[in-house]
Amino acid sequence: MDFLKYFENIMDFFRSPVWKYMIYGIIFILIVVWLSFVYWTYRDARLRNTSALFWALMVFVLNYLGLIIYLIIRPPEYIEDVVERDLEIKRMEILLASAISRCPACGKETKDDFIICPACRKKLKKPCVQCEKPLNLEWKVCPFCKSEQ
Ligand SMILES: [Zn+2]
Ligand SMILES: [Zn+2]
């Protein structure tokens, strides 16, 4: 008899509006979380330059499963990072290219203070008559010691 009464109480609780609103509340929170997953996936996929609409739809339909699949196969970096890194590499290449001089005759690498190309013997610079620093062939005066060439 006591047990039945206890059982009745539990059933009353489940029938009560409080329980009903709790269920609604939980469903509401789940829907909000689910929609934020969809939104987050859409934004993340767009930043990574992969098909955002497709993945948003995937998460919308498959929910957690779609999100897990997306997290596994999404591109590992943001598109801005890729562009930024490519630019950085270009900058470095230009910097390196400008640091390396090449022989105008044979194209082999030379250094700025080479007087003659070690590969093809082309005359690259002339030594200053006074201080013997390497000067461009067309220079009329040595910029180091001011002596006329
Ligand atoms: Zn050369
Ligand atoms: Zn000189």
Side-chain angles (χ1 to χ4, degrees):
M1 203 58 187
D2 267 0
F3 175 75
L4 259 180
K5 187 121 184 133
Y6 181 67
F7 188 70
E8 261 315 89
N9 279 340
I10 291 177
M11 288 319 283
D12 275 353
F13 171 72
F14 282 118
R15 266 186 232 113
S16 73
V18 177
W19 175 249
K20 210 166 75 182
Y21 288 129
M22 257 170 69
I23 293 280
Y24 286 162
I26 290 168
I27 289 173
F28 177 73
I29 288 167
L30 283 178
I31 287 175
V32 168
V33 169
W34 173 37
L35 288 180
S36 16
F37 278 171
V38 174
Y39 174 68
W40 180 86
T41 307
Y42 178 76
R43 223 186 42 174
D44 192 74
R46 220 173 44 176
L47 281 174
R48 285 163 204 272
N49 205 26
T50 187
S51 33
L53 268 177
F54 169 77
W55 282 113
L57 201 72
M58 193 83 160
V59 174
F60 185 77
V61 174
L62 296 176
N63 206 355
Y64 293 93
L65 193 64
L67 187 68
I68 289 166
I69 295 170
Y70 172 69
L71 287 177
I72 291 170
I73 71 170
R74 70 177 177 176
E77 46 194 347
Y78 289 139
I79 183 68
E80 278 96 342
D81 293 346
V82 177
V83 170
E84 183 62 33
R85 203 195 43 215
D86 285 355
L87 278 176
E88 189 58 35
I89 289 171
K90 280 246 164 58
R91 271 198 291 271
M92 289 304 289
E93 277 173 0
I94 290 167
L95 216 68
L96 279 173
S98 66
I100 295 166
S101 346
R102 290 185 181 279
C103 167
C106 69
K108 290 256 166 46
E109 279 181 28
T110 60
K111 291 215 173 98
D112 274 346
D113 53 353
F114 280 9
I115 283 170
I116 192 168
C117 170
C120 72
R121 295 170 193 272
K122 179 174 170 59
K123 204 175 170 192
L124 302 171
K125 298 267 166 91
K126 57 183 178 189
C128 170
V129 292
Q130 185 67 37
C131 68
E132 298 198 322
K133 288 220 164 74
L135 308 181
N136 283 0
L137 294 170
E138 68 272 19
W139 288 354
K140 302 281 185 286
V141 64
C142 171
F144 305 105
C145 70
K146 296 199 290 188
S147 61
E148 292 289 330
Q149 300 299 304

